[in-house]
Amino acid sequence: MKIVAQIKEPVYQEMELFESKFRDSMTSKVALLNRITHYIVNRKGKQMRPMFVFLTAKLLNDGEVNERTYRGASVIELIHTATLVHDDVVDESNKRRGFFSINALWKNKIAVLVGDYLLSKGLLLSIDNEDFDLLKIISVAVREMSEGELLQIEKARRLDITEDVYYDIIRQKTATLIAACCSLGACSVKPESADVETFRKFGELCGMAFQIKDDLFDYGGQKIGKPTGIDIKEQKMTLPLIYALNHCTKKEKSWTINSIKNHNKDKKRVKEVIAFVKDKGGLDYAVTKMLQYRDEALELLSTYPDSEYKSALELMVNYVVDRKK
């Protein structure tokens, strides 16, 4: 059985029911909107985020979930989808998971409005059911994600990111959403308990490991979701590169920064930068850091009694660092 199917198995029924509830949560009186949301729903990814919600809830609540858990999963998926639609506009990206992006098919104006619609749907789902505690978790996540994106843009212009700033960026940009999934799952069944914060932290650690793994793909030789060297072309400062720049001569540093700023479209130069980062131990260092985050996440889980849900979450944490794309 594939790893993702193994992770999904303990929440398979919940995920099936979630899909129909999620579809319903997107409906509108506007035919164009329904056509677009139908397109989105039929091109979904692995749905790791709802799985985090259900696995956390079931682990903490003797294998039971409630309507709040379903709403929490729907809210996170609505908000996540909204951010992806907006991201594709910002990045001028024409593809998403191998399919055309919304902006490629329906243009930027419609894509931005669809993203806004999904965002408001998510917020109203919480408000209409008076899930104010869940709403607070998701609103904090949206704020953090926006700040993280803007911090990255600001720093990319100057190429002066320190390791600490890099961790701030990925915590806000990526980890905060996975943290929200886990704390929503906990909060849906155990509101106001210490578990809500424990699982927020657990999700954050998973998210940090996930993003570092993503950054490592930029240097990988195997076929993955994005072409090698794309972060360098986009002038993104990732952990392997930051480490290499901190452990090289002044001359090497100025050559590398010049390459990223002025020659990032030159394939040969990009390959040379990749080789430089590997040579300086940037990849090994990033792998070490990624595994530290994984181990901290597993450590937090170890305090809970064994169950199939705990095993699935452990599998998920390991999958984050072992995945091939």
Side-chain angles (χ1 to χ4, degrees):
M1 196 192 292
K2 281 191 165 176
I3 298 285
V4 177
Q6 272 180 272
I7 295 166
K8 194 176 186 175
E9 198 177 13
V11 291
Y12 185 78
Q13 282 176 304
E14 286 80 6
M15 290 295 289
E16 291 288 294
L17 183 53
F18 162 73
E19 297 225 350
S20 65
K21 285 178 183 280
F22 182 58
R23 265 196 183 85
D24 294 346
S25 70
M26 276 194 176
T27 50
S28 148
K29 293 189 178 75
V30 180
L32 173 63
L33 248 178
N34 286 334
R35 205 155 69 238
I36 296 170
T37 54
H38 178 75
Y39 178 82
I40 290 169
V41 168
N42 288 337
R43 279 152 193 82
K44 61 188 182 303
K46 298 186 195 77
Q47 292 193 296
M48 291 305 210
R49 287 158 191 84
M51 280 193 249
F52 268 121
V53 177
F54 290 118
L55 286 169
T56 302
K58 291 186 88 170
L59 177 135
L60 291 172
N61 201 37
D62 300 323
E64 297 294 321
V65 298
N66 55 33
E67 279 306 311
R68 267 164 57 88
T69 317
Y70 284 103
R71 289 197 295 271
S74 292
V75 166
I76 206 86
E77 201 64 354
L78 282 163
I79 303 287
H80 175 56
T81 309
T83 61
L84 293 184
V85 171
H86 282 163
D87 277 354
D88 287 340
V89 175
V90 172
D91 297 339
E92 297 174 353
S93 176
N94 292 322
K95 287 283 180 82
R96 165 71 60 184
R97 298 189 186 114
F99 296 98
F100 284 112
S101 58
I102 304 302
N103 48 302
L105 292 172
W106 284 282
K107 302 288 179 272
N108 283 352
K109 186 175 182 179
I110 288 175
V112 170
L113 293 170
V114 168
D116 291 347
Y117 172 77
L118 295 171
L119 190 65
S120 65
K121 272 288 203 184
L123 300 177
L124 283 168
L125 184 62
S126 297
I127 292 166
D128 292 345
N129 292 284
E130 298 192 3
D131 295 326
F132 299 119
D133 49 353
L134 304 186
L135 181 61
K136 183 170 184 186
I137 290 169
I138 198 64
S139 299
V140 167
V142 172
R143 182 196 69 201
E144 295 247 306
M145 284 155 66
S146 310
E147 284 180 358
E149 285 287 355
L150 287 162
L151 179 60
Q152 183 170 48
I153 291 167
E154 177 197 326
K155 294 293 181 182
R157 286 184 182 147
R158 297 206 301 270
L159 295 181
D160 65 348
I161 294 185
T162 62
E163 200 172 317
D164 285 345
V165 170
Y166 165 81
Y167 294 132
D168 278 345
I169 290 171
I170 68 167
R171 184 182 54 74
Q172 291 181 303
K173 247 187 72 176
T174 305
T176 195
L177 195 66
I178 299 175
C181 295
C182 299
S183 53
L184 279 172
C187 193
S188 71
V189 293
K190 293 273 175 76
E192 296 180 30
S193 68
D195 296 315
V196 178
E197 174 53 26
T198 301
F199 274 90
R200 186 203 65 75
K201 187 68 186 163
F202 167 77
E204 185 179 280
L205 292 163
C206 288
M208 298 293 278
F210 180 92
Q211 187 56 55
I212 295 173
K213 179 69 172 182
D214 246 25
D215 293 347
L216 283 162
F217 282 142
D218 205 45
Y219 297 88
Q222 74 266 56
K223 193 81 185 106
I224 40 167
K226 63 177 186 178
T228 306
I230 204 157
D231 286 341
I232 294 165
K233 291 183 184 102
E234 292 175 0
Q235 301 189 16
K236 281 183 186 160
M237 297 285 281
T238 59
L239 188 55
L241 179 60
I242 292 165
Y243 180 84
L245 288 174
N246 286 337
H247 295 81
C248 67
T249 64
K250 259 190 176 169
K251 193 178 170 186
E252 287 171 326
K253 188 171 185 173
S254 63
W255 173 85
T256 309
I257 288 181
N258 179 36
S259 302
I260 295 164
K261 269 191 173 165
N262 305 313
H263 304 280
N264 55 23
K265 302 288 188 283
D266 178 340
K267 281 185 181 171
K268 182 172 173 284
R269 197 75 173 253
V270 168
K271 272 188 177 163
E272 286 171 0
V273 172
I274 290 172
F276 162 77
V277 171
K278 286 180 178 173
D279 189 47
K280 290 292 173 190
L283 300 197
D284 296 337
Y285 180 75
V287 168
T288 303
K289 282 289 176 189
M290 174 182 75
L291 297 178
Q292 274 176 14
Y293 283 116
R294 178 200 65 184
D295 293 345
E296 281 181 54
L298 291 171
E299 184 64 31
L300 279 181
L301 272 186
S302 69
T303 59
Y304 290 88
D306 290 343
S307 67
E308 57 183 319
Y309 317 111
K310 178 180 167 179
S311 299
L313 281 171
E314 287 169 342
L315 206 55
M316 181 90 96
V317 178
N318 284 306
Y319 170 73
V320 159
V321 300
D322 295 335
R323 66 203 164 97
K324 297 288 180 275
K325 63 178 182 179

